[in-house]
Amino acid sequence: MVLLQRPHILLLLIDTHQFLQCWIAFGSANEEGQQQEEFSEELLVKPLPDHKLLAHFHFQSSAPPSTSNGCHHHLFPKAISQLVQKFRVKEMELSFTQGRWNYESWGGFDPISSSNAKPPGVELWAVFDVPQHHIDASWKNLTHTLSGLFCASINFLESTATYSTPEWSFPPASGNVRYGTFPCEAVCTENLTPWLRLLPCRDKAGIALLLDRPSLYRGFYHSQRLHLTSTESSSEGIDSGIILEQTLTVVLQPNSERAIEVHASEKHVQPSWSLSSIFGKQVSGRCVLAKSSSVYLLLDRGLVAELKFPNKENGKSAANGLTSENFWSNPSFELSVNPDRIFLEESSSHSKSLSILYMFQVEKYSESEPFDIGLMWKVPVAWLCQQTPLHASRFLMGSGNERGAIAISLKSTQFTEGFMSANSKDGSCELRVDVFQVVPWYVKVYFHSLRVFVDQQPRAVSDFIEKIHVSPSKDKMSPGVMEVVLKLPCRVNTAALTIEFDKGFLRIDEYPPDANQGFDIPSAIISFPNFHASMVFLEDDSLNRSPLLSKFQDKCPVMSYTEVLLVPLTTPDFSMPYNVSTIKCTVFALYFGSLLNVLQRRVAEEERFLKAKAAKKTGRLPLLLSKLSAKLRGSGINQD
Amino acid sequence: MAETKEKSLSDEKPKPRVRPIVRLGIFLISHSFLVSVVCCTAGVLALFLLPVLAKNTYISENALMPGSASPMLSNQHVSDGNRLVKDLTNPNSKSSETGIESHKIIAQYMLDLGAEVSFHKFHPQMNQFHPLHFFSSPVSGKIQENYSCSSYGINTVGIIRAPRGDGKEAIVLVTPYNALKSGFGEALSLGIAYSVFSLLTQVTWLAKDIIWLVADSQYGEYAAVAAWLREYQTPKFSSLSTPNAEMCPDVNNLFELKGHSISGSKFSNSFRRAGTMAAALVLKVRDQNEQFEDTISIYAEASNGQMPNLDLINVVNYLAVHRQGLRVNVEKLWPLLNSSWLKSLGEIFESLAKVAKSLYPKWKFGIPATEYVEGTATLASSLYYQALGVPTGPHGAFRDYQVDAITLEISPKFSLDKVWRNDILLRGGRLIEGVIRSVNNLLEKFHQSFFLYLLTSPSKFVSVGVYMIAFALLIAPLPMVAASLYVDANSSSNCSKGDSSTPSAITDTDEHGIAIRSWRWLNSAKLVFIVHLWGAIVSLLPYFISQIPDCSPTTSFMIWVLLSILSLLTLNSVLASPLACAKATQEKEWALVKSVTISSVFIGLGLMSVINFATAEIGALLMVPMCLLARPLKLDVRAGTLRSFCRLICNLVLGHIAFPPAAFFLLKGMLDGFGNANVGDFWMWVESLWAWNSATYLFIGMVQLPCWVLCVSILFHTC
């Protein structure tokens, strides 16, 4: 640690005048007595172990309590502030995701993955600052507003059968949360454009220039997120400051066309990339409205641990004082642009090595001299991202159209071993796992059939479940919700939860247009409240800290989403409503016809009538009359 | 109609008018002989007309769009596939005793592509007869106790995750591979699969995950696939005190290699899954082949005659024929191809069609005689394999979980030069790529096209609406004949009684007598019930016989026959010898027995046609004539006319043919020649039927055998 702190002192000296300038500028603004609306744009790039690249755009706008400005804003999007005021949203998060976050190779234990890895489709949760009985109405209005705002079918979340009320397992634990997901929403540019419209510079200047649609949607994972918090929850709720955080996380494959050609020997070298090669565009200066505009390159703990080896072998250089040069002119890679600053992570509790963050100021660049960083790998590197304590996967069991079971299996990752060795001193080490599962009503879950298997042994549910909250589904009314707190021993290798269900029948008008595809069960949320994914970087100025880095410092629990499941339900043959109605009508006609016939017929009377007729053959008139009446009735007595 | 009217007219008393539907019923019943002759011939004729009535297949699901994209599989991928083939056929890789080396090679190749790889170890599970598990869904199965480390198989599974997909669905590609004694064909099939797999890791259009299962076929292809599916669909989370495969030293070896692999995180020794399976393709390459062109055979029949969606076959057929220039085959009954009577029948149909066309030009239903013969041979095999109820390949395991699957067997014209090998890799690979791409396009599961159909050629099919007609015609006379027999038996005894007794006696015994007479059929029903009960016992017997250790098939069969006869005799004696007492009371008893038998056969056939149509059809062909013609031999002998003599001969012949073992040997003799027929074969056949949970087994045991026994008892009825 002593060694690593030195460069910071140096850095501080180098950059002092720059920061002073900034400080003075903003200080003067602050001295006017009012907080200003602020906007900042940041981009974080991180190489991933499987030759891919993570790009995380982070735009943050904040509006101070609006008493001073009325309802006018300089930078802050008006649509959002109106929405917050109208529906009294305390906190809200909306995410559009395409693709799956690969927890095994992209990690699950850093702030980026635990807050930006989202389930496919749309996820929306919101906390309202309204009385309990108004919440549902507010939620419905909110979904419709957002649906209009983002050109998405969020309005389907309006019906009570699609959203749920988590009691305590969902992170922003309070009774006013509503949570809904819509896994089959197809996310594309029509959702991105309205999202970009909320930025003051749109995608015309600044870092957002990089958001080239074709290259974004060519990626392996794409998640755009909108998170807003009303910072002050005053009693009136009207004049609250709002912080709007817009993030876009993409995982891209740098120059994939070359990757095809290289052969097995070269495949282990990470592909070199530059911003222009992945996005096809360059940043030509910052967005002038932005307070700060910077690009970060993050080398995560595992990678840094791998990279340090050559330095250590050099021996003396480390002892001689590690200059900042050593960090970016590493023998194993080369940066095309010198970083403006380098941050080192403060010691973390869960890992021995520390991640490094390179910062590049975009302000310095202009149209004539666009900003473009590149990273060239020289030697093959392999590392592993830090994973969640337990790897969760969920799948369906059974077959047929009648019943099945959902299984959530948890497997320990290599991380747990490290954690275990660290905590093994005290014998009773426990790992807390929260499971939050929403099940649509047509999948009728039997909560009594919940079974727990720990290390391949069936165990009593009460041994491992500390707390469970279940709200059974109501047909066509509300989904089933299950919240479970599991306490597993730290040495657990595998654990599994299974729960059985029956498949329900839907009315014909309740089927979606593509009913034969099957029905989705939204992702379960597995969170580990004992673990906090945070990265604290040593920063020298607390005044001017970047929103992204301060976001990283927040202690958010490690969370992971499981796969979306597809349950095939029985579907009617939609192509034959005609046949159905014909058969139905025929059956009805046959049934009622024969029934009426039987009811109408009086056998004894008929016989008596016939006998009477046989007895008196005379009397032509009555016979004629009876004949006539029979003819008129059109049925009845045999005439021969 | 006229007759009934006359009848009603002849009655002195004015009667209430009989409803037309009833009159029609009475008419049909009174003419049941004519009706049954007409219906049965029409039914058989309709069956032979099916190849003529077959329609061309068409792709019903528009989303499939086969062949709309040009294939992307290039020579680069083919050479990748070739590399794998070379490595696998390399003698060094076979040095290991258990063939683990080749599994490692395959796994390493998959890993290099960036796929997720896992091994699945399984103990081969012998199919066993579970009398109570006949129609139940495949259970995870009880674990056999005598597992040893020497007998386990290893499936290698590679999964490609669709880059932008949501992972809800998956497509499965299966290549059976026996590491111990693999032929060149198996290596080639792996090569084809690998070249497709390497392409699919790079494509951007993938929406569903791809699972490549290299099924270890040393314990049978089906067993390996079924074991993997069982683990996929119904995993057991608990391993109670059973020796696990992990404990065996060899298996641990398997994982050692992977530790120092660069992309180590992609490999795991836990079972990996993708989403719901949309479709599965089993790919095989036949080792030796005599044909002169590259052909591809499609096997589709799964257990109990279930078929995959017709669209899947259509897509394969379309792509193979129109894109890759392969010839597509479906299984045929080869002996039928050379039969002259079929050819002449075809010529008759052809000439009839010509006549019809000359009468009215829009009637175009004729097909050339050669095509007719081929169509009939295909149809017959289609019927036969569906009726057997035994899957024709590993794809059957998928159908048990409602996954559409087919087996593709490529039989290339053989020559060992490299150009040829590249060609077959390229074409086979492009075919698989095209099929996967089509299935990948699907938004919904297969549902548009037919599930109930018979194939008469790869591009022609007979749908359920058409083939049901033949069956319906065959079984239509049964209820009528049953009714007419019942009426006859009742009325004749009525008449005889009326003659003998005085008019005064009629009045007081009338009510009572009618009541007794109308319940007399219960006596015969009891007999029929007992025989059916015996049938159930007979079909349970093999379970106990199979428990006897070291029993050859022939002795088992003998034991079975003996026990069956014994149980029939005991049942007969215990339950008050119904035949004897019936004989004493009624001389027309046989007619009532026949009537009830026919009704039960009708019910049995009707039920079976819902479960497995083909079995019901073949069963109806055997049983309906036998049931209809059955008549005590004594009566025919006594009558001595030509007609009764013909009936006597027919009865004797049918009585032999319809006996299930006799029918089996006849069929076997027709297919393979009578030379190597063995009594034990029937036992083996039955064993295979129950091992595959075939409903045909139940049908034979509980419908056909009782029916045969009842008919024989009628034939030998003493009256």
Side-chain angles (χ1 to χ4, degrees):
Chain A
M1 277 325 292
V2 178
L3 295 178
L4 293 176
Q5 271 169 3
R6 280 195 187 174
H8 284 266
I9 301 162
L10 260 169
L11 268 176
L12 189 71
L13 288 173
I14 292 163
D15 294 328
T16 312
H17 69 281
Q18 215 179 347
F19 292 119
L20 270 174
Q21 275 180 354
C22 293
W23 190 80
I24 288 163
F26 282 95
S28 62
N30 280 350
E31 270 165 358
E32 282 168 27
Q34 280 297 323
Q35 276 182 291
Q36 293 286 315
E37 288 180 7
E38 280 174 1
F39 172 71
S40 67
E41 48 174 13
E42 281 149 309
L43 164 66
L44 183 133
V45 186
K46 177 184 160 187
L48 294 171
D50 58 344
H51 299 201
K52 296 193 178 68
L53 191 70
L54 172 94
H56 175 68
F57 294 84
H58 186 272
F59 306 98
Q60 182 164 326
S61 350
S62 59
S66 55
T67 40
S68 55
N69 318 352
C71 52
H72 296 291
H73 295 282
H74 300 291
L75 295 173
F76 198 81
K78 196 177 175 184
I80 298 296
S81 74
Q82 282 178 340
L83 183 137
V84 170
Q85 281 173 16
K86 185 123 196 286
F87 305 121
R88 305 269 203 91
V89 180
K90 214 153 108 195
E91 197 173 355
M92 184 194 96
E93 186 174 283
L94 171 68
S95 67
F96 294 92
T97 310
Q98 191 188 52
R100 290 161 280 172
W101 183 266
N102 189 338
Y103 284 96
E104 280 177 56
S105 44
W106 304 342
F109 202 90
D110 47 332
I112 300 177
S113 60
S114 60
S115 61
N116 288 295
K118 289 286 170 189
V122 171
E123 188 201 45
L124 172 70
W125 58 261
V127 186
F128 296 94
D129 189 21
V130 292
Q132 201 71 36
H133 58 279
H134 284 314
I135 292 179
D136 283 332
S138 294
W139 167 267
K140 279 174 190 175
N141 286 327
L142 178 70
T143 54
H144 277 268
T145 315
L146 287 175
S147 148
L149 210 55
F150 289 102
C151 300
S153 29
I154 310 172
N155 54 328
F156 284 112
L157 293 178
E158 169 213 40
S159 103
T160 50
T162 51
Y163 68 87
S164 56
T165 313
E167 283 295 319
W168 35 259
S169 81
F170 202 61
S174 80
N176 298 354
V177 193
R178 291 293 180 272
Y179 173 86
T181 54
F182 192 60
C184 44
E185 172 78 8
V187 179
C188 203
T189 72
E190 82 262 17
N191 305 117
L192 183 65
T193 311
W195 183 85
L196 283 171
R197 256 199 336 247
L198 301 176
L199 303 176
C201 294
R202 312 264 157 112
D203 57 343
K204 300 286 182 263
I207 288 171
L209 256 183
L210 289 173
L211 296 173
D212 173 49
R213 309 297 194 280
S215 40
L216 278 190
Y217 289 101
R218 205 183 295 138
F220 287 77
Y221 176 79
H222 169 271
S223 171
Q224 78 188 56
R225 195 170 68 99
L226 180 135
H227 184 109
L228 65 87
T229 31
S230 314
T231 46
E232 274 174 56
S233 55
S234 61
S235 53
E236 291 87 38
I238 302 162
D239 52 357
S240 54
I242 312 165
I243 293 177
L244 172 68
E245 194 187 301
Q246 286 173 269
T247 63
L248 177 73
T249 313
V250 282
V251 176
L252 299 163
Q253 175 91 59
N255 52 358
S256 52
E257 63 280 339
R258 226 202 76 195
I260 298 170
E261 289 152 27
V262 293
H263 279 291
S265 57
E266 293 170 46
K267 260 184 180 168
H268 303 311
V269 183
Q270 288 267 337
S272 305
W273 52 266
S274 67
L275 279 188
S276 56
S277 77
I278 15 177
F279 291 107
K281 288 188 175 172
Q282 290 165 319
V283 182
S284 57
R286 67 191 183 106
C287 166
V288 286
L289 296 170
K291 190 185 85 179
S292 67
S293 171
S294 34
V295 175
Y296 300 92
L297 172 68
L298 177 69
L299 304 182
D300 71 356
R301 292 159 190 160
L303 178 56
V304 170
E306 288 288 320
L307 290 177
K308 275 204 178 152
F309 278 109
N311 270 349
K312 274 182 186 167
E313 280 160 13
N314 283 352
K316 291 286 181 274
S317 70
N320 281 353
L322 203 61
T323 58
S324 59
E325 299 271 311
N326 288 37
F327 282 110
W328 55 272
S329 65
N330 197 293
S332 49
F333 70 94
E334 196 176 343
L335 287 174
S336 66
V337 183
N338 291 0
D340 294 312
R341 292 179 64 192
I342 299 172
F343 298 105
L344 260 184
E345 194 191 4
E346 267 179 29
S347 61
S348 76
S349 53
H350 301 313
S351 175
K352 284 166 213 152
S353 58
L354 305 165
S355 43
I356 301 176
L357 192 70
Y358 299 84
M359 179 186 170
F360 305 87
Q361 301 273 2
V362 183
E363 279 107 89
K364 295 192 295 185
Y365 301 90
S366 65
E367 209 141 330
S368 55
E369 190 203 346
F371 172 72
D372 183 19
I373 56 162
L375 185 96
M376 175 94 101
W377 292 100
K378 293 174 191 162
V379 287
V381 207
W383 75 98
L384 291 174
C385 275
Q386 216 175 355
Q387 299 193 7
T388 49
L390 296 173
H391 177 69
S393 71
R394 193 180 61 160
F395 50 90
L396 284 176
M397 292 172 22
S399 66
N401 282 327
E402 199 181 355
R403 58 175 68 93
I406 303 174
I408 297 176
S409 92
L410 302 163
K411 278 199 189 74
S412 72
T413 52
Q414 90 284 7
F415 170 77
T416 341
E417 286 151 26
F419 174 80
M420 203 179 66
S421 59
N423 280 308
S424 56
K425 285 154 232 159
D426 51 335
S428 62
C429 154
E430 279 188 330
L431 183 67
R432 184 179 153 177
V433 185
D434 286 12
V435 180
F436 172 63
Q437 167 80 68
V438 180
V439 185
W441 67 265
Y442 38 76
V443 174
K444 292 176 174 147
V445 173
Y446 295 119
F447 291 102
H448 73 272
S449 63
L450 183 70
R451 248 177 240 125
V452 181
F453 298 87
V454 176
D455 287 330
Q456 304 197 324
Q457 300 292 324
R459 306 297 283 267
V461 170
S462 52
D463 289 357
F464 291 96
I465 290 183
E466 194 183 62
K467 208 159 115 180
I468 183 164
H469 169 252
V470 158
S471 71
S473 60
K474 277 183 222 137
D475 274 10
K476 296 163 184 120
M477 286 297 294
S478 66
V481 181
M482 182 176 79
E483 296 168 82
V484 182
V485 174
L486 285 170
K487 282 264 182 182
L488 298 171
C490 289
R491 288 172 187 281
V492 67
N493 268 324
T494 59
L497 288 177
T498 64
I499 187 161
E500 286 165 25
F501 63 83
D502 266 3
K503 298 181 181 181
F505 288 105
L506 277 76
R507 275 207 311 265
I508 192 153
D509 56 332
E510 283 163 347
Y511 285 101
D514 51 353
N516 276 298
Q517 190 192 3
F519 292 80
D520 297 317
I521 297 183
S523 298
I525 304 175
I526 313 287
S527 55
F528 304 91
N530 294 352
F531 296 90
H532 296 285
S534 64
M535 270 193 224
V536 183
F537 288 98
L538 295 167
E539 276 182 283
D540 26 20
D541 50 338
S542 53
L543 268 175
N544 192 23
R545 67 173 16 170
S546 126
L548 179 66
L549 297 190
S550 54
K551 187 85 198 153
F552 281 178
Q553 292 186 7
D554 290 350
K555 283 203 156 190
C556 57
V558 175
M559 252 171 50
S560 65
Y561 287 87
T562 61
E563 299 91 341
V564 175
L565 296 179
L566 190 72
V567 189
L569 293 186
T570 40
T571 44
D573 192 350
F574 297 107
S575 59
M576 292 191 182
Y578 170 74
N579 291 4
V580 174
S581 55
T582 324
I583 288 174
K584 227 181 193 169
C585 291
T586 316
V587 169
F588 274 128
L590 275 177
Y591 174 70
F592 283 112
S594 52
L595 190 73
L596 282 178
N597 204 348
V598 168
L599 286 176
Q600 196 193 21
R601 203 161 183 191
R602 277 174 288 185
V603 181
E605 197 141 309
E606 246 170 55
E607 274 173 13
R608 205 184 313 137
F609 180 76
L610 283 172
K611 265 177 198 163
K613 203 178 80 175
K616 49 167 187 173
K617 290 236 163 175
T618 55
R620 289 212 159 182
L621 199 68
L623 191 72
L624 255 175
L625 271 177
S626 71
K627 244 184 187 176
L628 205 72
S629 65
K631 276 255 168 74
L632 279 174
R633 266 187 277 133
S635 66
I637 298 113
N638 200 347
Q639 291 309 305
D640 45 39
Chain B
M1 280 300 182
E3 270 193 8
T4 44
K5 256 189 183 170
E6 275 171 36
K7 252 188 180 175
S8 60
L9 274 174
S10 65
D11 280 346
E12 291 301 302
K13 275 193 273 180
K15 266 192 173 179
R17 197 185 63 153
V18 186
R19 303 181 58 75
I21 191 154
V22 179
R23 272 196 281 170
L24 187 67
I26 290 167
F27 173 74
L28 286 178
I29 286 167
S30 56
H31 293 75
S32 63
F33 175 71
L34 192 70
V35 168
S36 55
V37 167
V38 168
C39 276
C40 282
T41 37
V44 175
L45 204 67
L47 189 64
F48 280 106
L49 262 178
L50 286 184
V52 182
L53 298 173
K55 281 190 284 187
N56 283 326
T57 54
Y58 56 94
I59 285 151
S60 181
E61 173 70 271
N62 289 328
L64 282 170
M65 296 192 291
S68 59
S70 49
M72 293 164 79
L73 193 89
S74 66
N75 286 318
Q76 173 67 39
H77 304 116
V78 168
S79 64
D80 284 353
N82 246 327
R83 216 152 34 84
L84 176 65
V85 175
K86 247 181 237 158
D87 278 5
L88 285 178
T89 44
N90 196 359
N92 292 343
S93 68
K94 291 190 177 177
S95 57
S96 161
E97 273 278 303
T98 46
I100 277 176
E101 277 309 310
S102 37
H103 285 292
K104 281 184 180 171
I105 290 171
I106 298 165
Q108 195 57 54
Y109 267 83
M110 287 178 180
L111 276 177
D112 287 345
L113 289 178
E116 295 176 7
V117 180
S118 64
F119 288 118
H120 168 237
K121 302 164 298 293
F122 66 95
H123 289 290
Q125 207 168 14
M126 286 303 111
N127 272 314
Q128 277 203 329
F129 178 66
H130 298 294
L132 299 176
H133 288 169
F134 236 95
F135 293 111
S136 62
S137 56
V139 280
S140 45
K142 65 166 198 247
I143 301 205
Q144 287 166 329
E145 284 73 32
N146 52 354
Y147 277 161
S148 65
C149 281
S150 56
S151 70
Y152 63 88
I154 303 160
N155 290 331
T156 314
V157 185
I159 299 179
I160 306 175
R161 307 277 172 194
R164 276 182 294 285
D166 43 16
K168 290 189 285 193
E169 288 177 282
I171 303 169
V172 189
L173 180 63
V174 183
T175 46
Y177 178 68
N178 187 349
L180 289 183
K181 45 170 199 282
S182 71
F184 185 67
E186 277 189 338
L188 206 58
S189 73
L190 282 179
I192 295 174
Y194 178 75
S195 59
V196 176
F197 205 63
S198 70
L199 167 76
L200 292 176
T201 48
Q202 294 152 9
V203 294
T204 51
W205 44 258
L206 216 57
K208 298 180 166 75
D209 294 351
I210 306 290
I211 305 175
W212 177 20
L213 169 67
V214 180
D216 190 350
S217 60
Q218 51 177 319
Y219 302 105
E221 293 163 359
Y222 186 92
V225 176
W228 179 76
L229 272 170
R230 210 179 305 125
E231 182 66 28
Y232 194 100
Q233 299 277 6
T234 52
K236 291 190 299 294
F237 293 106
S238 55
S239 56
L240 281 169
S241 71
T242 50
N244 234 347
E246 272 83 13
M247 293 173 192
C248 304
D250 272 351
V251 186
N252 291 336
N253 261 342
L254 203 61
F255 303 120
E256 272 169 17
L257 167 111
K258 301 302 178 294
H260 54 75
S261 164
I262 286 296
S263 40
S265 69
K266 290 277 188 186
F267 176 81
S268 77
N269 51 16
S270 60
F271 194 83
R272 279 181 186 271
R273 290 185 172 79
T276 312
M277 285 180 246
L281 289 173
V282 184
L283 181 70
K284 292 201 263 187
V285 177
R286 196 181 287 173
D287 264 333
Q288 66 275 19
N289 184 37
E290 309 82 42
Q291 282 172 349
F292 302 107
E293 37 179 346
D294 298 332
T295 57
I296 179 162
S297 318
I298 299 177
Y299 299 91
E301 287 86 1
S303 58
N304 278 329
Q306 296 182 85
M307 299 290 281
N309 197 287
L310 187 56
D311 264 347
L312 190 58
I313 294 176
N314 289 349
V315 168
V316 172
N317 181 44
Y318 178 86
L319 287 172
V321 173
H322 298 288
R323 290 290 179 272
Q324 304 308 326
L326 296 163
R327 214 163 62 87
V328 179
N329 254 340
V330 274
E331 197 77 339
K332 289 188 188 99
L333 278 190
W334 294 104
L336 279 183
L337 278 182
N338 306 323
S339 64
S340 51
W341 61 272
L342 212 57
K343 203 172 271 175
S344 54
L345 195 67
E347 276 157 10
I348 292 168
F349 282 136
E350 195 182 352
S351 53
L352 272 178
K354 266 182 197 155
V355 171
K357 200 178 173 184
S358 65
L359 289 175
Y360 186 63
K362 275 193 182 169
W363 285 344
K364 275 183 265 180
F365 54 81
I367 55 168
T370 49
E371 205 175 305
Y372 175 80
V373 173
E374 277 198 20
T376 316
T378 318
L379 182 80
S381 92
S382 200
L383 265 176
Y384 173 71
Y385 284 111
Q386 285 191 26
L388 216 55
V390 176
T392 48
H395 60 268
F398 286 95
R399 191 66 239 178
D400 292 341
Y401 297 94
Q402 284 86 44
V403 180
D404 292 296
I406 50 172
T407 298
L408 302 177
E409 193 177 56
I410 300 175
S411 27
K413 58 174 192 293
F414 240 71
S415 63
L416 278 165
D417 63 331
K418 207 166 171 244
V419 183
W420 160 81
R421 195 205 277 178
N422 279 347
D423 178 59
I424 200 70
L425 275 175
L426 189 69
R427 283 160 77 189
R430 284 189 168 170
L431 172 67
I432 302 292
E433 181 209 338
V435 176
I436 285 179
R437 190 157 191 175
S438 282
V439 176
N440 180 64
N441 285 343
L442 270 184
L443 271 180
E444 310 177 68
K445 65 181 182 205
F446 278 107
H447 71 283
Q448 282 276 2
S449 198
F450 294 91
F451 282 99
L452 303 169
Y453 56 89
L454 295 167
L455 287 174
T456 61
S457 87
S459 60
K460 284 197 157 187
F461 76 106
V462 185
S463 86
V464 56
V466 178
Y467 68 60
M468 263 316 219
I469 294 173
F471 179 71
L473 281 173
L474 258 182
I475 63 166
L478 293 183
M480 289 168 210
V481 173
S484 83
L485 279 173
Y486 176 74
V487 171
D488 276 0
N490 261 353
S491 61
S492 68
S493 58
N494 196 7
C495 284
S496 61
K497 265 195 176 169
D499 290 340
S500 58
S501 56
T502 55
S504 62
I506 292 176
T507 46
D508 53 279
T509 56
D510 201 27
E511 298 294 311
H512 187 64
I514 282 176
I516 286 185
R517 252 179 276 132
S518 60
W519 289 109
R520 223 177 35 176
W521 61 273
L522 274 182
N523 224 355
S524 349
K526 188 174 138 203
L527 170 72
V528 172
F529 173 73
I530 286 167
V531 174
H532 278 269
L533 192 70
W534 171 76
I537 291 169
V538 167
S539 34
L540 282 180
L541 280 177
Y543 173 62
F544 301 105
I545 296 170
S546 67
Q547 308 286 351
I548 303 171
D550 305 328
C551 211
S552 76
T554 316
T555 46
S556 301
F557 181 63
M558 291 307 173
I559 294 171
W560 191 23
V561 171
L562 277 176
L563 282 177
S564 307
I565 293 169
L566 209 70
S567 59
L568 183 64
L569 291 178
T570 40
L571 263 179
N572 211 14
S573 58
V574 166
L575 294 163
S577 155
L579 262 180
C581 85
K583 176 181 66 186
T585 51
Q586 308 292 334
E587 67 272 27
K588 269 280 197 178
E589 184 62 31
W590 69 268
L592 272 181
V593 171
K594 187 178 168 184
S595 157
V596 180
T597 307
I598 285 175
S599 322
S600 74
V601 164
F602 179 69
I603 293 168
L605 285 174
L607 280 178
M608 196 59 206
S609 74
V610 178
I611 297 165
N612 187 350
F613 168 79
T615 310
E617 173 76 50
I618 292 177
L621 280 178
L622 284 175
M623 282 155 63
V624 169
M626 178 177 67
C627 286
L628 291 181
L629 285 175
R631 188 180 158 85
L633 294 175
K634 256 190 189 170
L635 287 183
D636 280 338
V637 171
R638 236 181 270 159
T641 59
L642 184 68
R643 186 177 158 196
S644 60
F645 183 68
C646 286
R647 190 158 54 201
L648 188 90
I649 298 296
C650 281
N651 268 330
L652 283 175
V653 170
L654 280 170
H656 282 105
I657 288 177
F659 183 49
F664 168 74
F665 284 117
L666 203 68
L667 200 66
K668 198 174 152 54
M670 264 175 12
L671 293 182
D672 308 340
F674 289 94
N676 46 9
N678 183 9
V679 185
D681 286 351
F682 183 69
W683 174 260
M684 307 245 276
W685 183 71
V686 168
E687 212 170 33
S688 83
L689 280 188
W690 85 61
W692 292 105
N693 277 4
S694 169
T696 309
Y697 175 70
L698 283 192
F699 174 78
I700 289 175
M702 296 178 56
V703 180
Q704 193 174 0
L705 192 64
C707 163
W708 178 78
V709 168
L710 286 167
C711 284
V712 167
S713 79
I714 291 167
L715 288 187
F716 294 107
H717 195 274
T718 52
C719 51

